């Protein structure tokens, strides 16, 4: 299994018991849907390794307590500490309407209600306080904040995202 075919679910953050149980912090708004997994991939030395889950349950709402098969003592748990957890992309719950996963909208055309065709979505920058659409318009980079108020419609069938940005925002990038 390659990392490109998976999504990051979270990270093992601490040991829970001397029987090898661990707590994982999940990167999701709906941790409860990952409560009954049979298996998960752990990132160990830059490889994704499948681990089978004996049991798991939510712990204090945002942590998932996991007992892996063959992780039976504290030293086994130490070996997987801080490992990233990954699942195949096809296990992602389908999102509807204007909600989307970053990977699913790459390459979509961005259109603005007033401006028209803005360009092609090349990346999403989420390293800033406000996530940004990075759009390529014939070699010019245009940044549009990923603000719910700006996103009018996500059209998966036609691979377009319709936005309505404040007047002049797109023009700022096009003025010489």
């Amino acid at each position: 299994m390659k990392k490109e075919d998976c999504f990051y679910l979270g990270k093992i953050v601490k040991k829970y018991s001397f029987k090898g149980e661990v707590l994982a912090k999940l990167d999701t708004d709906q941790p409860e849907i990952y409560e009954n997994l049979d298996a998960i991939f752990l990132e160990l030395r830059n490889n994704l390794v499948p681990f089978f889950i004996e049991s798991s349950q939510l712990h204090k709402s945002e942590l998932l307590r996991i007992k892996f098969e063959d992780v039976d003592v504290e030293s086994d748990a130490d070996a997987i500490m801080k490992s990233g957890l990954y699942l195949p992309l096809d296990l992602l719950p389908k999102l509807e309407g204007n909600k989307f996963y970053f990977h699913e909208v790459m390459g979509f055309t961005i259109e603005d209600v007033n401006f028209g065709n803005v360009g092609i979505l090349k990346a999403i920058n989420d390293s800033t306080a406000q996530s940004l659409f990075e759009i390529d318009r014939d070699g010019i980079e245009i940044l549009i904040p990923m603000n719910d108020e700006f996103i009018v419609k996500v059209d998966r069938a036609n691979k377009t995202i319709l936005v309505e940005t404040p007047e002049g925002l797109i023009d700022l990038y096009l003025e010489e």
Side-chain angles (χ1 to χ4, degrees):
M1 183 63 69
K2 290 199 200 83
K3 218 168 175 177
E4 304 82 76
D5 302 326
C6 293
F7 67 96
Y8 174 78
L9 179 61
K11 181 179 186 175
I12 296 173
V13 290
K14 58 184 171 196
K15 294 180 284 197
Y16 183 75
S17 72
F18 60 89
K19 292 183 182 146
E21 284 180 298
V22 294
L23 292 175
K25 180 151 180 42
L26 302 185
D27 185 21
T28 174
D29 298 334
Q30 300 171 288
E32 65 281 355
I33 60 178
Y34 299 105
E35 215 172 351
N36 299 305
L37 297 171
D38 298 323
I40 198 161
F41 289 95
L42 266 64
E43 185 177 27
L44 299 170
R45 291 179 290 289
N46 292 325
N47 290 313
L48 292 187
V49 180
F51 273 71
F52 292 94
I53 297 175
E54 224 168 83
S55 64
S56 64
Q57 67 187 67
L58 281 181
H59 178 79
K60 293 183 183 163
S61 78
E62 84 275 358
L63 294 172
L64 186 65
R65 181 173 143 195
I66 305 171
K67 172 66 180 90
F68 290 110
E69 284 180 16
D70 303 324
V71 177
D72 301 314
V73 293
E74 223 174 319
S75 59
D76 294 342
D78 283 334
I80 59 172
M81 253 329 100
K82 307 284 185 231
S83 294
L85 303 173
Y86 291 84
L87 284 172
L89 285 172
D90 56 17
L91 290 183
L92 271 175
K94 293 282 177 258
L95 293 178
E96 309 265 311
N98 288 346
K99 295 206 176 309
F100 56 85
Y101 296 110
F102 291 0
H103 70 269
E104 101 180 277
V105 295
M106 288 305 137
F108 275 33
T109 299
I110 304 289
E111 292 185 5
D112 184 83
V113 172
N114 303 309
F115 183 86
N117 184 324
V118 181
I120 303 295
L121 181 60
K122 289 295 179 204
I124 291 176
N125 181 340
D126 62 351
S127 64
T128 57
Q130 169 81 60
S131 294
L132 300 167
F133 284 133
E134 293 183 3
I135 303 156
D136 177 45
R137 179 181 176 84
D138 304 324
I140 298 169
E141 183 181 65
I142 296 175
L143 302 175
I144 295 179
M146 273 178 49
N147 184 321
D148 287 345
E149 293 164 26
F150 294 173
I151 299 171
V152 178
K153 181 171 193 249
V154 176
D155 182 348
R156 288 172 173 81
N158 296 307
K159 294 189 175 296
T160 58
I161 297 176
L162 184 63
V163 296
E164 185 167 6
T165 59
E167 196 177 323
L169 176 74
I170 295 166
D171 293 324
L172 287 174
Y173 293 95
L174 304 176
E175 292 169 356
E176 299 272 320

